[in-house]
Amino acid sequence: MQKLSTAVKYLTIWNNFTAVQATPATLGASMIYFPVIGLALGLFLALINYLLAPYLAPEILSMLLITALVVLTGGNHLIALKNSFSAGAVKTSAKKNDQGEALGFIAIVLVLLFKAAAVDSMDEKLSFSLLLTPVLARWGVLILVYGYQDRCDEILRPSAEQVKFWHLMLTTLGTLALGFYGLGKRGFWIALALSIFVLSARSLLCRLRANLTSHDLGAMIELGETLSLILLASL
């Protein structure tokens, strides 16, 4: 229950109201529950869509759904996305620092715009897409850190060391089963595309910055949600 509670705090708005933060090792051990929390978030979004779809225009509903997801997560992953992109700039001067901050804000704007556009373009498969997307994105976090503890910074390394092979396999089987149940073979292809994206992003980040940071966890959740929604809207 402690691991589940840690996962809930880290992935939801609850994290904004607690003064005691989980240790990196505890956070890593709780990552096995990340897709489960994603499923809970997805269920809530699907419920909102079910209740409001008959009364709102698709454009308004898409913005409302994205706003609801931001509120549910406390905006913490968006902050991590900004910090992750900002860290890519070499801050040797005030100008470089400003460029890094601007890059971080641009990343947030693009992510929100692509999410809203993808949700707006879906029709009959929107409810299941809203259910599956948070699961896929949080499963991607385990792919990001598994086996890469030597390339993580001092803060993230204890978390990565707690992610075991059976954690990854169990969450992978659960995520693929959910995707296949709702989308058939398309669910497998979307999961495969997401996993390739995460592995490629991991390699690129390590080339640019030599290691992964704790901000990259939230950034990967945001990017994973965006890619998943785009693929779900396109396939």
Side-chain angles (χ1 to χ4, degrees):
M1 291 301 295
Q2 181 182 5
K3 295 178 182 179
L4 179 60
S5 175
T6 298
V8 173
K9 289 179 183 178
Y10 180 78
L11 295 174
T12 67
I13 195 174
W14 188 1
N15 191 49
N16 295 5
F17 299 101
T18 178
V20 180
Q21 300 297 321
T23 64
T26 303
L27 177 62
S30 72
M31 286 185 183
I32 189 175
Y33 293 104
F34 276 23
V36 177
I37 307 305
L39 180 61
L41 294 171
L43 284 170
F44 194 84
L45 293 177
L47 178 61
I48 293 176
N49 177 67
Y50 175 77
L51 293 175
L52 298 182
Y55 308 104
L56 296 178
E59 297 83 358
I60 301 300
L61 181 60
S62 65
M63 293 302 300
L64 182 61
L65 289 168
I66 300 305
T67 301
L69 183 58
V70 173
V71 172
L72 288 170
T73 60
N76 296 317
H77 306 326
L78 287 173
I79 295 173
L81 176 69
K82 183 183 87 67
N83 292 336
S84 182
F85 272 76
S86 298
V90 181
K91 300 179 180 179
T92 56
S93 65
K95 182 178 179 180
K96 288 292 185 180
N97 185 62
D98 291 340
Q99 289 176 345
E101 290 296 316
L103 185 62
F105 281 112
I106 290 171
I108 290 178
V109 172
L110 290 176
V111 160
L112 293 177
L113 287 176
F114 273 109
K115 283 185 179 181
V119 171
D120 183 31
S121 65
M122 294 186 215
D123 41 30
E124 72 280 353
K125 57 183 177 181
L126 176 57
S127 292
F128 186 79
S129 298
L130 293 170
L131 175 69
L132 182 62
T133 294
V135 179
L136 286 169
R138 283 146 188 83
W139 167 62
V141 172
L142 281 87
I143 299 175
L144 179 71
V145 300
Y146 174 73
Y148 241 53
Q149 56 267 24
D150 294 337
R151 304 296 296 274
C152 296
D153 66 7
E154 295 181 357
I155 298 176
L156 183 58
R157 186 177 299 119
S159 297
E161 290 173 345
Q162 295 299 316
V163 179
K164 309 301 181 183
F165 178 74
W166 71 270
H167 291 171
L168 182 61
M169 287 298 99
L170 184 61
T171 55
T172 298
L173 289 174
T175 302
L176 292 179
L178 180 62
F180 183 78
Y181 172 77
L183 300 173
K185 292 182 179 179
R186 286 185 300 167
F188 284 145
W189 287 115
I190 291 173
L192 177 61
L194 177 64
S195 63
I196 293 174
F197 170 78
V198 172
L199 293 174
S200 301
R202 182 176 72 175
S203 178
L204 178 61
L205 287 171
C206 287
R207 285 177 179 270
L208 293 175
R209 294 198 251 109
N211 55 35
L212 299 176
T213 71
S214 57
H215 298 308
D216 295 330
L217 301 183
M220 193 53 58
I221 289 175
E222 288 294 335
L223 294 174
E225 287 178 346
T226 304
L227 177 62
S228 297
L229 286 171
I230 291 173
L231 292 174
L232 286 164
S234 304
L235 298 179

